Amino acid sequence: MKEAIDTALNQTYKNIEVIVVDDDSKDNSRKIIASYGDRIVPILKENGGQCSCFNAGFEASRGEIICFLDADDIYLPEKVAKVVEIFNTSSEVEWCFHNLRWVDEKGELLPQLSTQRPTIECDFRDVVKSGRIPPPLPATSALCFRRSLLAKFLPMPISKAVKSTDFYFKFMAVALSKGYFLGEVLAFHRIHGNNAATLKVDNQSLRAVQYISNGSWIRQEFPELKKFANKLVSVGLSNKWQNNKKDAVTQEILEKYMNVTSLVEQLEINLRAAYYYMKSKVVKTN
């Protein structure tokens, strides 16, 4: 955590506020936070998971551009300056995602790379509205938004089934506005055994609850995106079948979702899930 806070504070762009949300940590995090005094804005809360931290951090913020940073990751010094420069290119650009570099627990570069993209203006609104999933989007520490965009979908729903997900942020941002992929590495994403999602061994179980929950949230909050919500649920259902583990909470969310869809939609969701399931079996067999 200390390294993350230090890199947020030591930006070449100085007109910043650094908000640190502690989700009832059991280590020495609160002692570290206290050591910064008024250099940061501390939010000390009861444990509620990553989603609740996003909501608390946004509520406490005052800036017009919001950049997220996981406690294990670090910003490069010019990160904020380059992101601000992108937002200054056009008032229509409301999100900016950049490349990440993976490092190990000691900060050493890993041979694997996260999804790397060139600098390009993007508009996925028609893609999402038609029910298609946009290209892979980077992890939390590469996500930056205009405040006006976040205000359209925050606070995000909270579920005891989903303690960690940035999918809602990414999906809603690209669904509601045009933005930019900035083709530079501006943060290091630390990879270790406790990562919430990246390289997770039990990925199918995690993806099942993430996709089904996000589909449910999106349909509830933005009914006009129901085709996209149905697509997410079908992907989540396929992952649920692949994982083949009983999960009462995920099943409950799925059943509630199906109850608000038409019979035709339910058939489409199940057929699409079956297609993805069979496709995954073929890939694994090959």
Side-chain angles (χ1 to χ4, degrees), residues 104-124:
D104 63 18
E105 294 183 70
K106 298 180 180 179
E108 299 294 330
L109 297 181
L110 293 172
Q112 306 102 312
L113 289 172
S114 65
T115 302
Q116 302 293 295
R117 298 185 180 281
T119 296
I120 185 171
E121 186 173 302
C122 303
D123 191 343
F124 298 116

Side-chain angles (χ1 to χ4, degrees), residues 180-245:
Y180 248 98
F181 276 115
L182 181 53
E184 297 184 50
V185 172
L186 296 178
F188 288 167
H189 182 37
R190 203 179 304 274
I191 305 299
H192 51 74
N194 294 320
N195 286 109
T198 308
L199 302 183
K200 199 73 172 179
V201 174
D202 190 17
N203 197 41
Q204 290 169 342
S205 176
L206 179 64
R207 286 300 173 93
V209 66
Q210 287 180 332
Y211 273 77
I212 291 172
S213 296
N214 276 275
S216 177
W217 295 341
I218 289 170
R219 184 172 182 127
Q220 178 180 335
E221 301 295 327
F222 296 89
E224 67 274 19
L225 299 177
K226 68 177 183 179
K227 288 184 179 180
F228 180 61
N230 288 348
K231 180 64 170 286
L232 292 180
V233 171
S234 66
V235 174
L237 182 56
S238 171
N239 278 277
K240 186 175 183 296
W241 290 343
Q242 292 174 53
N243 185 57
N244 198 29
K245 289 183 180 179

Side-chain angles (χ1 to χ4, degrees), residues 33-78:
I33 291 171
S35 70
Y36 286 91
D38 60 5
R39 298 178 65 199
I40 65 173
V41 178
I43 306 295
L44 310 178
K45 57 185 287 298
E46 295 182 357
N47 181 260
Q50 188 183 36
C51 300
S52 67
C53 291
F54 289 147
N55 289 342
F58 177 66
E59 183 180 5
S61 69
R62 295 294 178 267
E64 293 303 319
I65 296 174
I66 312 293
C67 302
F68 289 94
L69 177 63
D70 278 341
D72 291 329
D73 299 343
I74 60 175
Y75 282 167
L76 297 186
E78 67 277 14

